[in-house]
Amino acid sequence: MSRIVKNKELVNTRLATNYGGWMYCEKCGENIGYLCYSTYDKIELDYKCNCGNHGSVLLDFEDSKVGKSSTSELVMVKTRFCCPKDNEPLITILDKKVTNYDLKITCKSCESIYQKSK
Ligand SMILES: [Zn+2]
Ligand SMILES: [Zn+2]
């Protein structure tokens, strides 16, 4: 079932499909991560690519819930950050490709908002 995007702001960043898949730095073309299509309600990502480009991603949906902040840490399974409550896979950020980032992501299933920075 496809979802209706409400807010979508991509700065210097390309997304493989409408609201998920591989994320690419628009300046050097490198992939910097992978956003899972169906498990998040909202994402806010700011990053600096190794090439020096500063990029960001903001996405949410018509049916997104407000969510509630969680102090728990995302769990890393292989390269993917997953929700610690229900193990939903949310996002991969390729650590070696970015010098720093700030991530805020809401799990659709439990409505928890997680933050992660490098
Ligand atoms: Zn780049
Ligand atoms: Zn969850």
Side-chain angles (χ1 to χ4, degrees), residues 83 85-86 107 109-110 114:
C83 175
K85 280 189 191 163
D86 44 44
C107 174
S109 156
C110 69
Y114 300 103

Side-chain angles (χ1 to χ4, degrees), residues 39 82-88 90 106-112 114:
T39 50
C82 302
C83 175
K85 280 189 191 163
D86 44 44
N87 300 314
E88 290 283 8
L90 297 170
T106 310
C107 174
K108 182 176 173 7
S109 156
C110 69
E111 299 170 26
S112 297
Y114 300 103

Side-chain angles (χ1 to χ4, degrees), residues 10-15 23-26 32 47 53-57:
L10 299 178
V11 179
N12 298 325
T13 306
R14 190 168 61 79
L15 202 57
M23 301 181 286
Y24 299 90
C25 166
E26 261 195 332
I32 56 110
Y47 68 92
N53 180 42
H54 181 258
S56 65
V57 176

Side-chain angles (χ1 to χ4, degrees), residues 25 27-30 49-53:
C25 166
K27 195 175 168 200
C28 68
E30 286 288 329
C49 179
N50 284 346
C51 76
N53 180 42

